[in-house]
Amino acid sequence: LAAMFEEAVNVAFRSRGNSAGMYDVRKYLVEKMQEYKQGGFKRQAELLLSVTEGLKPFGSPEGIYYHYFNGVNNFNLEKDLLVVELSNSEQKGIIYPVVMMALANMIVNEFFGDDTRQKILIIDEFWKFKDNLIVGAFTEELAWKVRKMRGCLTTITQSDDDYKANPRMKALYHNSSWKFAIGRNKMETGLGIF
């Protein structure tokens, strides 16, 4: 399934470049689902049906998040310092972790473009994702990729207990070379992990 999704993204990007969006990805997967259905591959068709239904909010023009994931990508990552504020998307349910992962992935892809400069990606308020296993897995993999490209992934949260929420978060914590605790008073500390 992951390979099929990757293929859908690649086909969308090859055919539409920076104008490619989740509409194009979903359209490709719907076409594959129909091929499987006509070919008698019932299990694969059902699996793709489930995926395409899950993508409706992002890839269908009637979807609630459609405008976030379709249209020309004009996000500019060429500056030395870039701050992205996502607090407006926090109240929109599932969109917040999806947007965070999409942006982090775009930023990391920039890391691969130039390995002569050291880079850092900082994710503040990381405690918001402590119970999200998908974000945990994504961030753990992200940490390995960034390190290979002379980069650094930093997550900031209010307590080191946030990193005990699940095995992925624990791995992120224990595989971090640097840990900083900044005390605001005797009862509170903020933790940044490098």
Side-chain angles (χ1 to χ4, degrees), residues 163-164 167-177 179 193:
Y163 293 96
K164 298 173 185 172
R168 297 287 190 173
M169 299 290 274
K170 286 179 190 173
L172 188 63
Y173 181 85
H174 290 297
N175 287 312
S176 297
S177 301
K179 298 171 183 73
I193 298 205

Side-chain angles (χ1 to χ4, degrees), residues 23-36:
Y23 172 84
D24 304 294
V25 172
R26 184 174 179 272
K27 180 180 174 208
Y28 179 87
L29 293 173
V30 166
E31 290 169 0
K32 282 293 178 186
M33 178 197 64
Q34 291 168 346
E35 285 178 24
Y36 281 139

Side-chain angles (χ1 to χ4, degrees), residues 3-191:
M4 177 83 58
F5 197 81
E6 184 177 347
E7 182 181 336
V9 170
N10 288 334
V11 167
F13 187 74
R14 279 196 307 270
S15 65
R16 297 189 28 93
N18 284 353
S19 296
M22 287 306 295
Y23 172 84
D24 304 294
V25 172
R26 184 174 179 272
K27 180 180 174 208
Y28 179 87
L29 293 173
V30 166
E31 290 169 0
K32 282 293 178 186
M33 178 197 64
Q34 291 168 346
E35 285 178 24
Y36 281 139
K37 195 173 184 181
Q38 291 171 354
F41 299 101
K42 185 179 176 184
R43 186 174 179 279
Q44 290 88 339
E46 287 173 355
L47 185 59
L48 280 177
L49 174 63
S50 175
V51 170
T52 57
E53 286 297 310
L55 290 176
K56 263 188 179 177
F58 311 97
S60 172
E62 299 81 31
I64 189 169
Y65 306 123
Y66 179 81
H67 68 279
Y68 286 98
F69 294 94
N70 294 280
V72 176
N73 179 1
N74 61 1
F75 194 68
N76 186 349
L77 296 168
E78 295 176 5
K79 301 290 182 191
D80 285 339
L81 175 64
L82 176 69
V83 176
V84 180
E85 176 59 52
L86 298 178
S87 59
N88 287 342
S89 65
E90 284 185 66
Q91 287 76 37
K92 297 188 180 352
I94 192 173
I95 195 76
Y96 185 61
V98 172
V99 168
M100 189 281 297
M101 289 187 293
L103 286 174
N105 200 43
M106 288 172 64
I107 292 166
V108 169
N109 285 337
E110 286 296 310
F111 281 23
F112 288 99
D114 180 4
D115 61 359
T116 62
R117 296 172 61 204
Q118 290 183 307
K119 305 163 193 85
I120 185 170
L121 171 60
I122 302 171
I123 303 173
D124 195 5
E125 301 291 344
F126 196 66
W127 64 269
K128 294 175 183 176
F129 307 110
K130 68 181 180 182
D131 296 322
N132 190 318
L133 295 177
I134 295 171
V135 173
F138 171 82
T139 310
E140 183 184 17
E141 185 176 330
L142 192 64
W144 291 108
K145 286 181 181 179
V146 168
R147 188 182 307 179
K148 287 180 184 177
M149 295 309 296
R150 299 186 65 219
C152 173
L153 172 66
T154 301
T155 58
I156 302 172
T157 187
Q158 299 301 313
S159 168
D160 60 350
D161 288 338
D162 295 333
Y163 293 96
K164 298 173 185 172
N166 63 59
R168 297 287 190 173
M169 299 290 274
K170 286 179 190 173
L172 188 63
Y173 181 85
H174 290 297
N175 287 312
S176 297
S177 301
W178 294 84
K179 298 171 183 73
F180 294 94
I182 303 168
R184 291 188 299 222
N185 61 42
K186 290 181 181 179
M187 299 300 290
E188 296 178 328
T189 61
L191 184 68

